[in-house]
Amino acid sequence: MTRKTPLARKTPLKRKVKKPSAKTLTAKLDALARAHCIANACGKCLRCGGRGRLEWCHLKSRGYKAIRWNPANSAALCCQCHRYFTMNPDLWREFMERLRPGIWGILNKILQRKEKPDYAGWLAFYKEQGA
């Protein structure tokens, strides 16, 4: 067994800083975006105005990561309204088009760019918002 010199023992170990995985960043951003959306809803369902438990909803599927955390793609609904619109996507589109005219075109333009999700940009945005 070899002995370490005093200098060698005092040298700190160099550790690599591990970059967070896409899965970790997705979970963190989901939590931030959900909190931001529900806080901006002032405790009311967008459709019925109910004050029950609110859920974070997406205008276009959350499978599109380029717009998943975009506030323009978010809405807060009670669980009954969320289920109703999930089962009736055409009514959801009509409802949102009346509420936010032109929103579908804006979201489609973002999707057409086919950009990768900007995790760092969205993290900075939500931290600025205080979420």
Side-chain angles (χ1 to χ4, degrees):
M1 185 163 114
T2 60
R3 295 183 105 190
K4 292 185 178 181
T5 64
L7 182 62
R9 276 184 266 149
K10 290 181 183 177
T11 306
L13 293 174
K14 290 184 182 180
R15 295 183 185 190
K16 286 187 178 181
V17 176
K18 213 174 182 186
K19 188 177 172 186
S21 68
K23 186 176 180 180
T24 301
L25 290 170
T26 297
K28 187 171 192 162
L29 280 168
D30 281 351
L32 290 170
R34 180 181 301 107
H36 180 261
C37 177
I38 291 172
N40 285 345
C42 299
K44 291 183 184 177
C45 173
L46 189 63
R47 178 178 178 239
C48 70
R51 294 192 170 271
R53 186 178 68 87
L54 296 179
E55 295 179 350
W56 177 42
C57 308
H58 296 82
L59 278 68
K60 291 183 104 24
S61 172
R62 61 186 264 156
Y64 297 117
K65 291 218 175 164
I67 59 172
R68 182 174 182 151
W69 306 289
N70 191 324
N73 189 40
S74 296
L77 297 174
C78 66
C79 58
Q80 292 87 3
C81 291
H82 192 182
R83 187 176 328 121
Y84 173 77
F85 281 132
T86 299
M87 298 301 166
N88 301 290
D90 293 335
L91 295 176
W92 174 239
R93 185 180 174 106
E94 287 174 25
F95 175 74
M96 289 311 297
E97 193 60 47
R98 277 195 315 267
L99 205 61
R100 301 180 192 169
I103 192 66
W104 296 103
I106 292 167
L107 294 174
N108 284 332
K109 282 181 185 176
I110 295 169
L111 287 174
Q112 286 173 353
R113 293 187 221 146
K114 297 184 179 180
E115 295 174 350
K116 290 186 177 182
D118 180 14
Y119 296 109
W122 285 117
L123 277 171
F125 170 79
Y126 284 113
K127 288 193 178 177
E128 260 180 37
Q129 300 299 314

